[in-house]
Amino acid sequence: QVQLVESGGGLVQAGGSLRLSCAPSGSIFRLNAAAWYRQSPGKQRELVAALTSAKRTNYADSVKGRFTISRDNANNTVYLQMNSLKPEDTAVYYCNAGGQIINYINTFTYNPSALWGQGTQVTVSA
């Protein structure tokens, strides 16, 4: 049974950086399309960044220019590099893989699959 394992969360001061990692375990599962979501207390889970098999990327407006999603095919790992962190970035971050990609001319949408990681806490202090 495939599981997604996330790591890299923690406590950081505003303006700092963290890098989250997501890799499958338990089975041979190649990461292609993937995404990071986050959820704060009392809020719905929201898409932060998504990546297609062709490495097209898409970001929430709130993180554009600060976060970067990438995939290392050799290590079969998806990353989320988070720079210039703000207190409002505080949330549990979840990895999703194998979602449905709908391509448009200049962008795409990512519909999540049922394959989620367990979440990793990111806390940004003011």
Side-chain angles (χ1 to χ4, degrees), residues 1-18:
Q1 182 177 357
V2 178
Q3 291 182 322
L4 295 178
V5 180
E6 299 130 334
S7 62
L11 173 64
V12 65
Q13 287 188 331
S17 297
L18 285 173

Side-chain angles (χ1 to χ4, degrees), residues 26-57:
S27 179
I28 299 174
F29 180 83
R30 297 302 303 176
L31 284 175
N32 290 307
W36 287 94
Y37 288 74
R38 67 186 181 188
Q39 188 168 20
S40 304
K43 295 186 178 181
Q44 288 189 332
R45 191 172 296 189
E46 62 173 352
L47 178 67
V48 175
L51 179 73
T52 71
S53 58
K55 294 188 176 181
R56 294 179 71 191
T57 58

